[in-house]
Amino acid sequence: MRVMAQMSMVMNLDKCIGCHTCSVTCKQAWTNRSGTEYVWFNNVETRPGQGYPRTYEDQERWQGGWTLNRRGRLQLKAGSRLKNLATIFSSPKMPSIQDYYEPWTYDYEILTTAPLQEHTPVARPKSLISGKDMKITWSANWDDDLGGSEHLSADPVLAKVSDKVKLAYEQTFMFYLPRICEHCLNPACAASCPSGAIYKRAEDGIVLVDQDKCRGWRKCVTGCPYKKVYFNHKTGKAEKCTFCFPRVEVGLPTVCAETCVGRLRYIGLMLYDADAVLEAASVTTDHELLESQRGVFLDPFDPSVIREAERAGIPRDWIDAAQRSPVWALINTYKVALPLHPEYRTMPMVWYIPPLSPVVDVVQETGEDAEAAGNLFAAIDTLRIPVEYLAELFTSGDTAPVTAVLKKLAAMRSYMRDINMGRDGDPSIPAAVGMTTREMESMFRLLAIAKYDERYVIPSAHAEQAHNLEELATECSLDYEGGPGMGGSGPFGEGSGTGTPLAVESFRTLKERQTSDTATDLNEPGARVNLLNWDGRGTPPGLFPGPGDPPDHGEPASGAHGTEPKP
């Protein structure tokens, strides 16, 4: 047994309202730089739909994730090592910009400077790639609220259950699916990278890209079955979700979780046996993958696990955090969370609680009591969101685990309804789904009324690990020129902080900023040098005024560098 720690996330899809606040805040924090206009580390998809990039789940086309070869061993779906080496200079198995979408903005200056005329001036969409007028045909969530229903036939998941789903208007269904990088236990992106730039942090399992080592082969884009690794066309480097590791290291949740309006995200620590990952990912049938991954996770209350964790150098407060982890409770204790596409065999660590809400609507339409246990149990098989569709997303097509989860959620509603109405709870309801009354009440608290520190149990990094974390940060963060924390108008890069938001920036200003050679023009009035990543060695350009620099007419602070006492 080799105990390791992994930061993980669970999302309750019953609570997602599709507001995209998580996407916008992540965009402003991480991907508002040149070359990342089309990149969304966090995006919210409407299901059914093609997703982002479109049809990313069609691995027969994109060749992402792992598969078993003839000898029953794991092999990248894109091919053997020899095949990947032979195609290192050409990686055609990756989405084009049309599969993501061509980003655009508007030339607002036409509206503000147009002379008085009979007709209202129009600000046409301008491509952020070519700068030319364009016609908008696709976007990151084009299927939003069934707005792209004419495209649903191309949904790879829907195609597998087409005989079970009716798309007549009165029978349509939809739900929201937020997605970030899965930070897998068996990441195919890391195995695909020829230069070894993608790696998994030993202390918390977060998967990151070393920007110094990245050579832009783009094999990682092919290898990731979730298509959550992106190519920055300006820097020539790969970028991906960082699980907001600077925040996690100080005990704060990710930006997407912090700003989530529906409070649907849970973050916690999981302990797992690193020696068991390969065997778990190599099980013969796809239906075994759910339980095989659950078997990789270690019980943080087990004395032998605690002993091995301490021997592996995991701090005691991290073990305590694993015991209080909401992720452990939802995945292994209550077993209501499921992984996204386990058949990719990457062992994803972002899990989901499938949506139940529409089942209540189904019962209400019949005029029956919508939250009575018997009615809810009977209605699950006729759910407006077909169980078969959910199973293709979360359990490799096996409907039994999905049905079990939905029955637990339905039982919780019925049981807690009686208690909230002042009646005694019926113990036969939790017993019908294999739970005790105490377990059901505890699950209800976690899913419905959990406080901030119950939803986010994140142990902060230790002072004795600071040097190692500092070394890792210099390797793995997006700390190249123009990246987050490297100059610009705020701590997260150019265009963030006090700068003008990208959405309201004029087309001409944006074009000038994108085509400039430096992140910040030090000759501009008010330009500042960012010292967040300065190691204290040498003198960063622009830190001290040179002989030819214009004088600073501001009031110097008392004792500031460069001031001398008057004689």
Side-chain angles (χ1 to χ4, degrees), residues 375-417:
N375 293 336
L376 278 178
F377 286 168
I380 284 177
D381 292 333
T382 58
L383 198 64
R384 175 166 287 186
I385 302 177
V387 174
E388 291 81 5
Y389 188 88
L390 296 174
E392 290 293 340
L393 280 175
F394 303 120
T395 57
S396 309
D398 186 5
T399 58
V402 177
T403 301
V405 170
L406 295 177
K407 285 186 175 181
K408 285 185 178 182
L409 297 177
M412 181 187 73
R413 286 194 179 194
S414 296
Y415 178 76
M416 294 306 303
R417 195 270 299 264

Side-chain angles (χ1 to χ4, degrees), residues 17 25 43 98 101 117 198 212 219 222 234 242 265 280 286 302 304 309 333 345 350 366 384 450 471 520:
I17 61 175
T25 51
N43 71 290
Q98 286 74 28
Y101 71 101
Q117 53 186 296
I198 299 185
D212 291 332
K219 288 288 185 180
T222 302
K234 183 168 184 179
T242 65
R265 303 186 187 225
D286 291 346
D302 187 337
S304 62
T333 303
R345 299 177 183 269
V350 176
T366 66
R384 175 166 287 186
E471 293 295 324
T520 303

Side-chain angles (χ1 to χ4, degrees), residues 93-166:
K93 297 292 185 181
M94 57 182 291
S96 64
I97 193 65
Q98 286 74 28
D99 294 308
Y100 293 100
Y101 71 101
E102 187 171 356
W104 71 87
T105 186
Y106 298 92
D107 192 352
Y108 298 108
E109 193 169 339
I110 290 180
L111 304 180
T112 58
T113 62
L116 183 64
Q117 53 186 296
E118 181 181 354
H119 302 288
T120 304
V122 176
R124 300 188 182 280
K126 298 274 190 179
S127 170
L128 288 176
I129 296 177
S130 65
K132 300 179 180 178
D133 290 347
M134 62 172 287
K135 182 180 180 181
I136 301 172
T137 58
W138 193 256
S139 185
N141 193 24
W142 204 250
D143 302 305
D144 192 17
D145 296 344
L146 297 182
S149 57
E150 68 271 16
H151 302 290
L152 293 187
S153 59
D155 180 353
V157 176
L158 194 64
K160 296 180 181 179
V161 293
S162 58
D163 58 328
K164 301 284 186 179
V165 177
K166 298 178 181 178

Side-chain angles (χ1 to χ4, degrees), residues 3 23 103 130 141 151 171 179 186 236 247 261 278 290 323 339 365 367 374 393 408 448 462 470 495 515 527 554:
V3 181
S23 300
S130 65
N141 193 24
H151 302 290
Q171 294 175 309
R179 290 202 307 119
N186 185 34
R247 294 174 58 90
V261 174
L278 179 61
L290 171 61
Q323 294 175 345
E365 291 170 359
L393 280 175
K408 285 185 178 182
H462 279 231
E470 179 182 328
T515 55

Side-chain angles (χ1 to χ4, degrees), residues 119-299:
H119 302 288
T120 304
V122 176
R124 300 188 182 280
K126 298 274 190 179
S127 170
L128 288 176
I129 296 177
S130 65
K132 300 179 180 178
D133 290 347
M134 62 172 287
K135 182 180 180 181
I136 301 172
T137 58
W138 193 256
S139 185
N141 193 24
W142 204 250
D143 302 305
D144 192 17
D145 296 344
L146 297 182
S149 57
E150 68 271 16
H151 302 290
L152 293 187
S153 59
D155 180 353
V157 176
L158 194 64
K160 296 180 181 179
V161 293
S162 58
D163 58 328
K164 301 284 186 179
V165 177
K166 298 178 181 178
L167 291 179
Y169 179 77
E170 67 277 6
Q171 294 175 309
T172 52
F173 66 94
M174 57 160 286
F175 63 94
Y176 296 108
L177 181 71
R179 290 202 307 119
I180 64 172
C181 169
E182 298 287 330
H183 295 278
C184 309
L185 298 181
N186 185 34
C189 59
S192 302
C193 180
S195 55
I198 299 185
Y199 65 99
K200 191 171 180 66
R201 294 213 304 189
E203 65 271 18
D204 54 17
I206 296 176
V207 179
L208 297 167
V209 182
D210 185 334
Q211 294 292 304
D212 291 332
K213 289 183 179 179
C214 180
R215 295 296 177 264
W217 297 117
R218 292 169 290 175
K219 288 288 185 180
C220 53
V221 181
T222 302
C224 176
Y226 304 97
K227 293 297 173 278
K228 276 298 176 182
V229 184
Y230 304 91
F231 183 69
N232 185 320
H233 59 84
K234 183 168 184 179
T235 64
K237 305 285 187 179
E239 298 187 13
K240 62 178 294 297
C241 161
T242 65
F243 210 80
C244 291
F245 72 91
R247 294 174 58 90
V248 169
E249 287 173 2
V250 295
L252 295 175
T254 61
V255 169
C256 59
E258 179 80 76
T259 59
C260 177
V261 174
R263 299 182 179 182
L264 61 97
R265 303 186 187 225
Y266 300 81
I267 299 178
L269 197 70
M270 296 286 282
L271 300 180
Y272 71 98
D273 184 0
D275 291 335
V277 171
L278 179 61
E279 182 181 355
S282 304
V283 293
T284 307
T285 61
D286 291 346
H287 289 179
E288 299 175 13
L289 286 165
L290 171 61
E291 288 306 319
S292 68
Q293 183 171 356
R294 278 198 175 123
V296 171
F297 302 138
L298 299 174
D299 185 352

